[in-house]
Amino acid sequence: MNKILIQGGRVIDPASGFDAVTDVHIADGKITHIGVKPGDFSAETTIDAKGLIVAPGVVDLCARLREPGQEFKNALASEMHAAVAGGITSLVCSPDTDPVLDEPGLVEMLRFRAKNLRGPRVFPAGALTVDLKGEKLTEMAELREHGCIAFSQADAPLDDTQVMLRAMQYAATHGFTVVLRPDDTWLARDGVAHEGQVAARLGLAPIPPAAEIIGLLRILELVRVTQARVHLARLSTARSLDLIRAAKADGLPVSCDVAVHHIHLTELDIGFFNSQCRVVPPFRDGRDRAAIRAALADGTIDAICSDHAPVDEDEKALPFGEAVPGVTAVELLVPLTLKWAQEEKIELKRALALITSSAARALGLAYGHITTGGPADLILLAPEEFWKVQASSLLSQGKNTPFIGYELPGRVRQTLVAGVVVHSV
Amino acid sequence: MKNPQLNSNGELTHLLSIEGLPKSIIEHILTTADAFASVGDREVKKVPLLRGKSVFNLFFENSTRTRTTFEIAAKRLSADVINLNINASSTSKGESLLDTVDNLAAMQADMFVVRHAQSGAPYLIAEHLIRTNAQHIHVVNAGDGRHAHPTQGLLDMYTIRHYKKDFTGLTVAIVGDILHSRVARSDIHALTTLGCPEVRVIGPRTLLPSHVEQMGVKVFHDMAEGLKGVDVVIMLRLQNERMNGALLPSAQEFFKSYGLTPEKLAHAKPDAIVMHPGPMNRGVEIDSAVADGKQAVILPQVTFGIAVRMAVMSIVAGN
């Protein structure tokens, strides 16, 4: 297999704290040496990384590849291509596909199809309940054998508290991680925007913060009872983060993430009904955004995910309340994370941890770090290079992002998965 | 963020919401409506301002009253009026909102009067017309979801100005289901823009949107307190489907607390006027003795509404 030398880059490994200008040697898909060249190594390819950051490939904990379900659009290929262009080398895909990822055969098929495309490693999150209906548990152990790394209810309701309890107990039996987005679906019912001044003014049906908070309180109590390992997905309110902070201090086995767009936008960005700002959970208010930023800085939040959801133009060209929620984001995860880090003067290493090592740890993935003998999943990054987000510059089939027109920092120049260059500009 | 209802010269080219309209434009509409008010009294009730223009009433949600007054207003301006009840035609065949708009635009429409159950739908249409180089077609919002009913808001302002002359000393109370009311939102924006120093909303907590106070209103839950010393009372319609459920226990109980009776009205100033956008639920939000009483100006509101809609249509069309 190809031997690669990545020469003269600033190598940052957030997991170990390593940060130095040096060389990385790759053979057989693995990092064989960091620093001085081993005697018998002769590179077949040399990549000049001068002036660039060499960082672990990005680990994205929530993206939708629209497969199974939209094979006719060839979405898997385009979204995987977009992901590696965004520096993502490990991608956890959400089970809310059509059909739902609740059977080993479907998981197998997805992994098989993904393997034949030059993209990131794909780690399916299996459905927690059959058809995500919140009634029956899936065959988690069987799904795990076929490659599911965690079990998620995605955005589907799980209203029956007894089913939630049983799901946690069963997952805990096997040591599996459960991924839940807290939501009281009665309170959130029919809602399309944060319950705040914008929803009041625009006459949009509100989603109160209490919907997420009550959902979270219910989950946290069940975690206390079951000691199940639970990852809370895409939190959006200040109070949720306070609760997580307290839960972690209590020693509960929880972790959490936020969607990258929630670090930047608030309800005010809806402006005059901009359907690109229709997301689940909704953009909250300025205080919530400040709390998210603080919780990222103090380590309460373990990961930033893309929450990637490519949506067709037609599905967004509807009145706000009817528009399909979601933001295309795999290509913006790194730039938006860097934008936050630059605005808040957060050390690059810490910012990168949230999308690499710390994210991987939340779901128990053995990726997101640079170590000798470890997988050669790497990115070459120009963190200060600004670029303008345009629909035409996005490789994802979804052009649905409120960040069109933004100048963002951070260009991923090259992406390597298992020592293979899968993206290069 | 650019407000799509004003063109680059700051002129009104669509009427989508009262929010963000400069005071001068609102006053211009009211003054123009004054001039049109007498057209209805003429032998020939027409002026030729929109002659040869096609006005499409696009009603995605049922309405008789609003559609009729828009139709009369357009006809008095000599426009050709086409009424489309789209609820029952295109969308049930699966045509998208913007496809419908494109088709009607291709029929050389000059103006769309739009009512839609979704907040913001007229914005979507106006922005689409701008994007597709059809900005010569004007959009008038005839009510979108809970968001806005700007012509109702303007005719309410016309009515208040007619009876009270000046806004700067007035206290106005809006009563009832504020949460679901596009009329309330339009009235609040219009009143605050025109310099009304005190706008009150009165209702049970279940029918008030959270954060409503950030729209510049004082919140009351008690009628006696909220109506004390007001110059204008605007009653809102309570929809049938809200009367029995988690929002309210019953229409009777609502009437007991918030129905406008002569006794409750006595808390307002003696010369206070009583308004209602119609259609009224007698015995639910308003007592017949008030609805038919001396202080009610509910029927004049309807008459003024025609002049105000004529003014809006002629102004957005560039007259």
Side-chain angles (χ1 to χ4, degrees):
Chain A
M1 211 184 208
N2 203 4
K3 289 184 177 174
I4 301 174
L5 166 63
I6 299 175
Q7 203 168 35
R10 179 181 160 199
V11 178
I12 298 181
D13 178 41
S16 64
F18 183 89
D19 182 351
V21 174
T22 186
D23 299 339
V24 178
H25 305 265
I26 296 166
D28 296 331
K30 292 201 160 77
I31 297 168
T32 56
H33 214 272
I34 300 164
V36 186
K37 183 179 85 149
D40 58 345
F41 189 94
S42 80
E44 292 153 53
T45 311
T46 300
I47 298 170
D48 180 8
K50 266 187 216 74
L52 299 176
I53 304 285
V54 180
V58 173
V59 178
D60 185 3
L61 296 187
C62 182
R64 292 165 198 80
L65 299 174
R66 300 300 192 215
E67 195 163 310
Q70 298 189 2
E71 287 85 349
F72 62 98
K73 288 184 190 161
N74 209 15
L76 187 63
S78 67
E79 300 320 295
M80 287 182 62
H81 191 189
V84 287
I88 294 164
T89 57
S90 292
L91 181 151
V92 178
C93 60
S94 183
D96 48 352
T97 47
D98 179 21
V100 161
L101 283 182
D102 60 0
E103 279 182 25
L106 293 167
V107 175
E108 193 103 307
M109 176 59 88
L110 172 63
R111 291 184 66 216
F112 173 76
R113 286 177 49 86
K115 201 165 280 176
N116 289 331
L117 296 163
R118 271 158 60 109
R121 301 174 198 266
V122 171
F123 299 99
L128 186 66
T129 58
V130 173
D131 208 19
L132 292 174
K133 282 193 172 142
E135 294 162 2
K136 284 175 63 183
L137 303 188
T138 53
E139 294 171 324
M140 293 184 214
E142 185 82 4
L143 286 164
R144 166 64 136 227
E145 274 176 30
H146 288 81
C148 287
I149 54 117
F151 296 91
S152 161
Q153 187 61 15
D155 285 326
L158 182 43
D159 293 334
D160 187 327
T161 308
Q162 190 167 82
V163 174
M164 186 181 275
L165 170 71
R166 301 288 184 233
M168 284 190 200
Q169 286 174 325
Y170 190 76
T173 306
H174 294 278
F176 301 153
T177 301
V178 174
V179 179
L180 293 171
R181 187 178 70 78
D183 196 24
D184 181 299
T185 49
W186 289 291
L187 276 181
R189 185 171 54 201
D190 304 328
V192 299
H194 169 66
E195 182 180 77
Q197 52 163 324
V198 173
R201 242 179 50 230
L202 297 183
L204 295 171
I207 302 173
E212 179 174 301
I213 296 158
I214 290 170
L216 182 56
L217 286 165
R218 186 171 68 128
I219 293 168
L220 290 176
E221 194 51 35
L222 296 181
V223 171
R224 202 180 294 278
V225 172
T226 60
Q227 289 296 312
R229 177 70 190 80
V230 173
H231 180 75
L232 284 318
R234 291 169 289 139
L235 300 179
S236 67
T237 77
R239 175 119 170 81
S240 300
L241 297 165
D242 287 343
L243 289 168
I244 293 287
R245 202 174 279 119
K248 286 185 165 184
D250 273 6
L252 293 189
V254 293
S255 56
C256 72
D257 66 49
V258 290
V260 72
H261 29 267
H262 280 84
I263 304 173
H264 296 285
L265 303 183
T266 67
E267 56 175 346
L268 295 175
D269 290 286
I270 292 171
F272 297 109
F273 304 97
N274 180 2
S275 64
Q276 303 298 355
C277 291
R278 172 103 157 83
V279 287
V280 175
F283 291 133
R284 301 287 181 184
D285 66 23
R287 272 170 308 177
D288 292 310
R289 180 177 59 182
I292 288 172
R293 288 177 168 233
L296 284 168
D298 74 12
T300 301
I301 297 172
D302 300 90
I304 302 170
C305 70
S306 74
D307 193 21
H308 178 69
V311 174
D312 282 351
E313 220 174 302
D314 287 354
E315 296 170 318
K316 283 287 187 188
L318 291 168
F320 190 88
E322 290 176 352
V324 174
V327 175
T328 188
V330 280
E331 292 160 270
L332 301 183
L333 177 56
V334 169
L336 290 172
T337 301
L338 293 178
K339 179 179 163 69
W340 158 72
Q342 289 175 9
E343 286 167 358
E344 301 287 331
K345 302 197 167 37
I346 302 288
E347 208 190 343
L348 189 56
K349 202 185 299 174
R350 260 211 53 66
L352 288 172
L354 289 159
I355 51 173
T356 59
S357 54
S358 179
R361 201 162 42 236
L363 291 190
L365 295 172
Y367 297 92
H369 49 81
I370 299 178
T371 35
T372 306
D377 289 10
L378 299 167
I379 58 171
L380 272 63
L381 176 67
E384 312 276 341
E385 189 178 322
F386 278 78
W387 60 289
K388 190 171 182 175
V389 184
Q390 285 168 310
S392 59
S393 61
L394 297 176
L395 299 174
S396 167
Q397 287 186 16
K399 310 297 179 191
N400 52 302
T401 166
F403 295 102
I404 295 284
Y406 274 57
E407 296 267 355
L408 296 179
R411 214 15 158 184
V412 177
R413 293 283 189 79
Q414 296 206 25
T415 305
L416 285 81
V417 176
V420 177
V421 177
V422 289
H423 160 74
S424 180
V425 285
Chain B
M1 229 156 306
K2 193 178 166 293
N3 189 336
Q5 63 189 344
L6 303 176
N7 67 16
S8 50
N9 298 323
E11 295 159 345
L12 191 70
T13 176
H14 308 292
L15 179 65
L16 306 176
S17 169
I18 291 177
E19 185 185 4
L21 280 190
K23 188 177 175 188
S24 59
I25 288 184
I26 298 179
E27 284 174 339
H28 177 50
I29 293 169
L30 300 182
T31 311
T32 308
D34 265 336
F36 287 131
S38 60
V39 173
D41 303 329
R42 293 188 201 166
E43 176 112 352
V44 178
K45 297 187 177 68
K46 270 188 194 280
V47 289
L49 289 169
L50 293 186
R51 184 150 60 203
K53 304 284 185 192
S54 304
V55 173
F56 284 64
N57 276 334
L58 300 185
F59 278 60
F60 295 86
E61 188 186 71
N62 289 330
S63 151
T64 310
R65 176 183 311 238
T66 303
R67 206 208 62 216
T68 306
T69 52
F70 268 107
E71 185 173 349
I72 294 168
K75 285 182 169 164
R76 287 194 184 161
L77 292 166
S78 309
D80 298 316
V81 182
I82 298 93
N83 287 317
L84 291 145
N85 190 349
I86 302 175
N87 218 356
S89 57
S90 309
T91 43
S92 56
K93 292 177 196 155
E95 190 179 48
S96 83
L97 171 58
L98 294 183
D99 279 339
T100 304
V101 166
D102 284 340
N103 274 282
L104 298 174
M107 295 174 198
Q108 272 100 31
D110 296 291
M111 192 180 297
F112 292 142
V113 175
V114 180
R115 168 163 290 192
H116 201 286
Q118 286 286 336
S119 299
Y123 277 84
L124 181 75
I125 294 171
E127 282 164 350
H128 177 74
L129 292 171
I130 293 165
R131 206 167 34 242
T132 55
N133 257 328
Q135 59 269 56
H136 56 277
I137 303 175
H138 306 283
V139 178
V140 175
N141 183 358
D144 61 328
R146 309 175 181 183
H147 169 238
H149 194 350
T151 58
Q152 179 73 43
L154 289 165
L155 81 85
D156 286 351
M157 296 312 109
Y158 187 92
T159 307
I160 295 170
R161 198 176 74 157
H162 180 86
Y163 291 100
K164 299 289 171 191
K165 310 300 171 207
D166 186 18
F167 289 89
T168 55
L170 295 183
T171 302
V172 179
I174 305 172
V175 184
D177 182 2
I178 315 287
L179 178 65
H180 300 97
S181 177
R182 50 195 173 211
V183 176
R185 287 178 174 81
S186 287
D187 281 343
I188 292 167
H189 288 306
L191 287 164
T192 51
T193 307
L194 289 170
C196 176
E198 188 165 332
V199 183
R200 302 176 180 178
V201 293
I202 310 173
R205 289 171 195 270
T206 49
L207 296 179
L208 292 168
S210 97
H211 296 74
V212 67
E213 65 289 347
Q214 290 190 25
M215 295 177 76
V217 298
K218 275 196 181 172
V219 177
F220 291 85
H221 305 297
D222 178 79
M223 283 288 263
E225 216 181 305
L227 290 180
K228 199 172 171 194
V230 304
D231 301 278
V232 177
V233 185
I234 300 175
M235 299 304 297
L236 299 172
R237 178 179 166 77
L238 184 70
Q239 302 286 343
N240 287 325
E241 64 267 27
R242 327 258 192 239
M243 290 181 197
N244 301 290
L247 290 169
L248 290 174
S250 69
Q252 293 76 9
E253 182 150 313
F254 180 78
F255 182 71
K256 206 170 162 202
S257 302
Y258 298 102
L260 190 62
T261 56
E263 298 73 43
K264 290 192 193 117
L265 182 57
H267 295 284
K269 282 194 186 150
D271 64 345
I273 55 170
V274 175
M275 297 164 60
H276 192 297
M280 281 186 289
N281 291 307
R282 289 168 184 261
V284 178
E285 68 259 1
I286 192 164
D287 189 288
S288 284
V290 175
D292 304 327
K294 278 205 314 270
Q295 288 167 269
V297 297
I298 297 165
L299 290 174
Q301 279 179 273
V302 178
T303 311
F304 297 150
I306 295 168
V308 167
R309 289 181 173 120
M310 288 172 76
V312 166
M313 287 197 266
S314 81
I315 288 169
V316 295
N319 291 303

